[in-house]
Amino acid sequence: MIKFTMNAKELKTMMDKAMTVVNKKASVPSLKRLYFSIDDKGILKILSTDIEHYVEARTENTYHTEPGMFGIDIEDIKIISKMSGEITIEDITSDKEEKINIKCGKKNVSIPRFENTDVSLPVLDNGENILDVKENWLSETISNLSVFVSNREEVNRMMSVFNFNTKEKRVEALWNCMIGMRQLEDDMILKETENPFETVKLHCRCVPVFKKLLDKKSERKVIISQNDKYVKVESENFTYITKRIDGEYFKVNQMLSDEWDYKFTANAKELLEAMKYDADLLKESKLPVTFHAENGNLYSYASTTRYEAFDEIEVKEKPEKDFYIGFNPNFLVDVMSIVDSEYPIFYGTKEVCPWIIKGDTYSFLILPVNIKDVKVKAEKRIAKYIEMSKTA
């Protein structure tokens, strides 16, 4: 009969990880439970699933162990989570009842025990290892690029995934008017996938799971693999498996033009602060921020019927061409919050064409907003503010 002793705080952390894929509204009782098992080596595994996703959390930090398996309903998990210190969990099932005893200090609590006849971690037959990354890198990448994916069921499903494009050596995420990307290093790629239909794609439902599973500070190895049915993300202390998403991802290369009419580098921190301010100013009107380059200087202008905001943005490499272009300031807040360069490079052409923004490992594409209806006013007001700034 299964038994183990361990630190209650660590146990709670493991249970929290496993709970991330549990559907509390599931009609099947077995899907509303966590399944605990101890093997002959004393390794504790906690498994859960909603059929689409599977999580197994593992630890060797147990003692006084006896091998076995049992299930606990998620409602009863709350009782364990409230305990602190050293905790011992033991299967005390008899002919009359199926019970689990929980001992913590002088407290003893018994809860119902359930058999596991339906839930198991899928085996990836003929699976291939695709990527070898560090845990903190994967955590940061998925968290940052999550603003570029959609969780809406009605949209094109490829807008809901992170695409691991090993051929172009980048992770890609596309939603609405933006593309976010992060470079893959050569030593991360174990197998280059030539067929665009067969790239590893993780649905954005992995985001809340990874927030619990992945340690932001850990450099533990994480292997990403897949077969014809599943994708597996595995570290030494967890396994995450999700159903594979088939289909061709967007042709991102066709959107990333190598030709531009102008480029410049802008101070990311300064631009972020300006766009946060303008986004708040414009939130009710949904009007764009107009950018204007003149004589190598860069200005931004935002206005409503009540307010106006004018900023001169610090540039290091000055734009060699004058231009006007408009953007949703929220898009630039998202990009400047993520970009990993003090002075990212901006590439542009016409006022109806996107900006491509490049940091050190992150790069972005954002589509502009039509400024036809506001351009005349913006030109006059910007010219006025430029003149005022010269005489100030």
Side-chain angles (χ1 to χ4, degrees), residues 370-388:
N370 191 329
I371 57 172
K372 181 180 178 181
D373 295 334
V374 300
K375 186 176 179 181
V376 173
K377 178 186 175 182
E379 287 177 344
K380 292 180 179 179
R381 301 303 290 171
I382 290 172
K384 176 185 174 182
Y385 281 110
I386 291 174
E387 191 61 34
M388 290 170 58

Side-chain angles (χ1 to χ4, degrees), residues 7 29 31 49-50 83 88 117 122 170 229 271 273 287 291 294 321 330 365 367 376:
N7 180 273
L31 299 182
T49 183
D50 65 356
M83 295 180 175
T88 298
T117 57
R170 63 183 178 231
K229 292 183 179 179
L271 182 56
E273 292 306 311
L287 290 168
F291 286 87
E294 182 177 310
K321 179 180 177 180
N330 291 294
L365 178 148
L367 292 176
V376 173

Side-chain angles (χ1 to χ4, degrees), residues 142-203:
I142 294 298
S143 177
N144 285 343
L145 295 185
S146 64
V147 299
F148 301 93
V149 295
S150 171
N151 58 8
R152 299 179 186 177
E153 294 295 332
E154 70 273 12
V155 303
N156 183 323
R157 66 175 179 170
M158 290 301 164
M159 288 187 177
S160 299
V161 307
F162 303 94
N163 185 50
F164 291 79
N165 186 341
T166 54
K167 184 177 181 181
E168 299 296 336
K169 298 180 181 179
R170 63 183 178 231
V171 185
E172 304 164 337
L174 183 154
W175 160 237
N176 202 0
C177 301
M178 302 189 292
I179 304 174
M181 296 162 284
R182 190 176 193 186
Q183 180 182 338
L184 288 167
E185 302 297 336
D186 289 337
D187 59 356
M188 296 178 179
I189 300 171
L190 301 176
K191 177 179 173 57
E192 183 177 306
T193 306
E194 290 285 342
N195 189 335
F197 287 84
E198 296 182 355
T199 56
V200 170
K201 303 174 188 73
L202 288 176
H203 193 277

Side-chain angles (χ1 to χ4, degrees), residues 224-236:
I224 301 176
S225 58
Q226 72 174 1
N227 66 359
D228 59 348
K229 292 183 179 179
Y230 297 102
V231 175
K232 179 168 69 172
V233 181
E234 187 166 46
S235 178
E236 65 182 35

Side-chain angles (χ1 to χ4, degrees), residues 238-301:
F238 74 81
T239 298
Y240 169 74
I241 295 179
T242 182
K243 288 188 176 179
R244 174 171 164 164
I245 298 172
D246 289 318
E248 184 179 18
Y249 195 69
F250 302 104
K251 293 180 171 62
V252 173
N253 266 4
Q254 295 182 7
M255 308 177 204
L256 303 175
S257 174
D258 290 330
E259 298 180 0
W260 59 84
D261 292 333
Y262 60 85
K263 74 172 184 175
F264 61 91
T265 59
N267 186 293
K269 183 177 180 181
E270 187 175 301
L271 182 56
L272 173 61
E273 292 306 311
M275 291 304 101
K276 282 182 177 179
Y277 191 92
D278 289 350
D280 186 58
L281 191 76
L282 298 169
K283 63 183 177 182
E284 300 298 331
S285 67
K286 297 183 180 179
L287 290 168
V289 170
T290 300
F291 286 87
H292 173 53
E294 182 177 310
N295 297 324
N297 298 316
L298 180 66
Y299 308 96
S300 70
Y301 172 75

Side-chain angles (χ1 to χ4, degrees), residues 90-107:
E90 183 177 9
D91 186 348
I92 56 170
T93 296
S94 65
D95 294 337
K96 296 182 179 180
E97 58 183 3
E98 293 193 0
K99 291 284 187 181
I100 297 295
N101 185 70
I102 304 158
K103 178 177 174 57
C104 187
K106 296 181 179 180
K107 183 184 295 295

